[in-house]
Amino acid sequence: MNRLFDLSFRFKLPLWGSFLIVATALAVSGALMLRAYDDLKEDLLISSKSLGRTLSKSLFRAMLHDDVWRAFELVQAPFHGEAGDNPVQPDGIIVLDRSYRIVVSSRPTVMPMLADFRRFGPEQAALADAIEALQGRDAHTVELPDAGHLYVVVPIADEAALLGALVISHSKSAFVPRFWRTAQSGALIGLLVLAVLLPANWYWGRRMAAPLVKLADHLDGLGQGLPEDLDPGLYAYRDELGRLFQSYRRMVQELREKAQLERRVVQTERLAAVGRLAAGIAHEINNPLGGMLTAIDTLKCHADADPLTLKTIDLIERGLVQVKETVAALLVEARLKSRDLAKQDIEDVRTLVAPASHRKRLKTAWCNDLPDSLPLPATLVRQIFINLLLNAIQAANEDGDVGCLIEFDANELAITVTNDGRLLTTEQMEHLFEPFSPLSESGHGLGLWVTYQIVHQLGGRISAKVKENLMVFEVRLPVGAEA
Amino acid sequence: MNANSLPAGNARRFLAGFLVFCALAFGAATGALAAEPQRNTPVRIGLTPAFLHDQHGLMEEWRRYLEAKLKRPVVFLQRDSYRETMDLLRLEKLDFAWICDYPFVHLKKQVKLLAVPLYQGRPYYRSYFIVPASNPHTTSILQLKNMVFAYADPYSNTGYLAPRYELFKAGEDPARFFGKTFFTWSHRKVVEAVAFGLANGGAVDSYVWDTLAVVQPDLTAKTRIVSRSPEYGFPPFVAHRSVGDDEFRVFQKVLIGMTTDPAGKALLKRLNLDGFATNDPKLYDSVAQMMRAFGEE
């Protein structure tokens, strides 16, 4: 039994619907058949009583005149020219006198004249008792228990004169064939209805179950990571199932956002740790480096060294300077005092990068929406801007597009730089802001790292994403907040 | 004296005389009309169950045949019991009738013997004692004591008088011998009553049974003839005594002449008869003898 309930809705719904349809069809047709049987019986009795009343009037005269032949012709009359399977056709008519002797019967060979009716068997004796109990009342139906016949008893009487009784017997088996015919046509109609309803139900059940099954499959997949989105066209209604679908979609959306957030947090923390490490190392290197450069400088001024030594000293100095530059690049110092950012700063940067842009014949979309002055350190913002622009120009295709949008609303400055160059993969974007980026084809791969550090020190956010086949870098800097 | 002064008594006498004259004149005229053979008054012929009078198609053809031969309208009056036809004869509602030999003897004073049908070439028939075919044991009517017996008609010879006479001869009282008797008012229905098993036995006209054996063999097959009575004179055609000699002879001639033309022959064949012939009323003396045995006549 349990296994039946464990079945998939794909089968359970149509099965259950089919079961209900079949049960309903059986119940309805059963009731109708019962009704047909009752109607048939009622028709039979009504027609039989009417026949009995008609016959009894004529039989009264025949009995009064002892006209046996006339009485016989009367009881024979209903048997002439009748169809064999007419269920209303009686199977016997018997006329009894008051002492239950047979006056005449429709089958004289079986029930001869003058014979005692009670002697024919217990059913006849019981019938005689029943007639006795009726005491000459109007047409009456007598149904004896366990008898194969229905009897209609009509008194043969005129006013107070009771001569006897007319008994019309009907075989119960006679209307079985008619009943079966009714039942067969009923069954046929039932089957036709089933032939229409069952496939319709099956289709409806499968259709109903399909979204549920899909939802269940998707929910099962939750354990193995983020599930796919469900096709919104799968179930576009607003019933409980529709709400379930909406909830599922919302849940998936939230899960996805959560996963993204987590990833960002990890990335941020990693970058922060790298930043701290880099700053620590830079400071540790900077101190001895300063001493070494001073020493070299002193050596160059005061020592009369031979050309080889001088050449070596130069070599060392150049190496140290390179180390210093590299360290300086790593060590982003945002806490420098600087003047406020002005609109002209942005235009200066535009002028600065223009030659590089011309070299690649780029089309540049420019939108500077900045007020005259903003309380942001001009040097740092310029550096961010230059880095982003140079990166974009470098990544853009020949004859490609570079876009730049500077927006300011109440408390945030937004810088958006786009290019139509090669799009970055998710994997590449994960490590985009790390120092010594492998993506950098020229330079030391510190540009984005420095930009990231500056943006963070200014309390802003930087993000890279792909939008409409463009690579988009966006920086948001809070204005007026204590950096 | 002028008319105005005519005494009242004279005037009354004159009027009475005038009326008598008128009445005499009218009476003479109608009498003269009555004396003429009436071409338009129908011949009234009574038919009884002495033969298969319920073959209605045959009856209609026979009626038309007689109309053509007599050149007068013919009316058949069919009754289901001899008694009714006898009453019609007594009341002069019939000119001719085909009745049983027993009523003929009864009505000897009112009717004249017109013609006797010839059955199998002779003017005789018998009474058959029949039982249901399912009964192979009965060999005599005397074995049916206290059983149910079907008679045809209380004025039938072969269907009533003859079987009772046989019981009488055997020393039984026909009124008490059977457990139950009933009349079917026709010989054909006696055959039916016995065939259906309603009666244990019955007495039937041999001519009717034999004819039925031809037209409805499945019915007679359900019965068995146990014994045949002696021959009696065949049920005769009679004329009421009021029928004029001319009319009597004309109708007698038509009946007897049926064998001479094809249409008449065809009708006779369907009636299962060979023709009609004149005969002597003595032919029915044996019936009178039986009636005397029961104290009738």
Side-chain angles (χ1 to χ4, degrees), chain A residues 18-39:
Chain A
S18 306
F19 169 73
L20 284 182
I21 288 170
V22 170
T24 309
L26 282 179
V28 168
S29 49
L32 286 178
M33 272 156 73
L34 213 62
R35 175 80 207 171
Y37 182 85
D38 281 350
D39 282 352

Side-chain angles (χ1 to χ4, degrees), chain A residues 66 68-69 72-73 104 108 113, chain B residues 180 183 189 193 196-198:
Chain A
D66 194 25
V68 172
W69 178 252
F72 178 68
E73 281 186 323
V104 78
M113 211 184 295
Chain B
K180 174 96 185 169
F183 295 107
K189 288 176 182 176
F196 291 149
L198 182 67

Side-chain angles (χ1 to χ4, degrees), chain B residues 81-83 86 102-103 106 151-157 159-161 164 182-185 296:
Chain B
S81 72
Y82 290 122
R83 175 90 230 170
M86 288 161 74
Y102 184 18
H106 256 283
Y151 289 129
D153 188 295
Y155 282 97
S156 166
N157 173 17
Y160 186 63
L161 186 63
R164 291 176 85 233
F182 62 88
F183 295 107
T184 65
W185 310 104
E296 299 177 27

Side-chain angles (χ1 to χ4, degrees), chain A residues 30-44 143 150 172-173 175-176 178-180 182:
Chain A
L32 286 178
M33 272 156 73
L34 213 62
R35 175 80 207 171
Y37 182 85
D38 281 350
D39 282 352
L40 194 61
K41 195 165 147 187
E42 203 168 315
D43 286 354
L44 165 91
E143 196 169 358
L150 274 174
K172 282 180 184 167
S173 63
F175 50 89
V176 167
R178 166 125 159 212
F179 175 69
W180 273 116
T182 312

Side-chain angles (χ1 to χ4, degrees), chain A residues 172-457:
Chain A
K172 282 180 184 167
S173 63
F175 50 89
V176 167
R178 166 125 159 212
F179 175 69
W180 273 116
R181 273 206 304 280
T182 312
Q184 272 170 5
S185 60
L188 196 69
I189 292 170
L191 284 177
L192 279 177
V193 169
L194 288 186
V196 174
L197 283 187
L198 283 182
N201 163 69
W202 200 260
Y203 171 76
W204 169 82
R206 298 293 289 236
R207 207 191 136 97
M208 197 71 194
L212 261 180
V213 170
K214 202 130 199 181
L215 190 62
D217 287 348
H218 273 74
L219 282 172
D220 273 348
L222 266 184
Q224 283 102 47
L226 271 180
E228 295 166 34
D229 257 338
L230 277 170
D231 176 12
L234 193 61
Y235 198 84
Y237 310 107
R238 289 187 187 171
D239 56 10
E240 284 75 6
L241 196 56
R243 276 160 51 197
L244 213 55
F245 269 67
Q246 270 178 357
S247 303
Y248 173 82
R249 275 194 285 273
R250 208 160 45 233
M251 185 182 75
V252 168
Q253 183 64 32
E254 279 165 10
L255 280 175
R256 193 164 290 159
E257 277 168 13
K258 186 169 166 246
Q260 222 163 15
L261 194 69
E262 275 172 1
R263 211 165 48 237
R264 219 157 34 220
V265 167
V266 167
Q267 194 185 11
T268 310
E269 278 178 358
R270 191 174 61 221
L271 286 175
V274 171
R276 281 197 300 278
L277 182 66
I281 293 171
H283 276 295
E284 290 307 316
I285 291 173
N286 256 354
N287 288 336
L289 195 62
M292 278 193 267
L293 281 170
T294 311
I296 292 232
D297 205 33
T298 311
L299 193 61
K300 266 174 45 178
C301 293
H302 301 284
D304 285 327
D306 57 89
L308 184 65
T309 307
L310 274 178
K311 200 179 172 187
T312 306
I313 286 171
D314 275 350
L315 195 70
I316 292 171
E317 190 177 19
R318 278 202 302 279
L320 288 176
V321 168
Q322 192 184 346
V323 169
K324 189 186 178 188
E325 279 171 358
T326 304
V327 168
L330 263 180
L331 193 64
V332 179
E333 195 50 75
R335 291 174 197 276
L336 290 172
K337 275 286 167 203
S338 172
R339 60 183 175 81
D340 282 355
L341 180 71
K343 191 169 182 177
Q344 191 53 47
D345 284 318
I346 304 299
E347 294 304 320
D348 288 349
V349 172
R350 185 180 182 183
T351 313
L352 279 172
V353 301
S357 172
H358 283 309
R359 264 200 301 281
K360 288 184 89 171
R361 295 179 303 281
L362 297 177
K363 289 189 285 292
T364 314
W366 194 266
C367 180
N368 184 0
D369 193 17
L370 208 64
D372 286 341
S373 175
L374 272 180
L376 281 171
T379 323
L380 295 177
V381 175
R382 280 172 67 128
Q383 196 179 345
I384 291 169
F385 199 36
I386 288 170
N387 277 350
L388 289 178
L389 271 174
L390 287 175
N391 271 352
I393 288 164
Q394 193 201 333
N397 298 326
E398 290 280 335
D399 296 319
D401 291 304
V402 168
C404 177
L405 176 65
I406 313 288
E407 282 172 310
F408 174 71
D409 71 7
N411 47 23
E412 211 174 43
L413 173 71
I415 302 166
T416 311
V417 176
T418 61
N419 72 73
D420 65 346
R422 196 159 47 84
L423 301 179
L424 298 177
T425 62
T426 316
E427 174 68 27
Q428 287 171 328
M429 283 204 263
E430 289 269 305
H431 302 283
L432 195 59
F433 299 110
E434 289 172 17
F436 309 111
S437 167
L439 291 173
S440 177
E441 288 159 10
S442 60
H444 42 47
L446 281 173
L448 277 176
W449 154 256
V450 168
T451 308
Y452 181 87
Q453 295 297 323
I454 295 170
V455 169
H456 265 258
Q457 283 174 24

Side-chain angles (χ1 to χ4, degrees), chain B residues 163-194:
Chain B
R164 291 176 85 233
Y165 185 67
E166 198 174 337
L167 289 171
F168 175 78
K169 278 196 301 180
E172 296 283 351
D173 178 2
R176 298 172 196 281
F177 180 74
F178 296 112
K180 174 96 185 169
T181 63
F182 62 88
F183 295 107
T184 65
W185 310 104
S186 123
H187 288 284
R188 179 206 279 262
K189 288 176 182 176
V190 169
V191 180
E192 286 178 5
V194 174

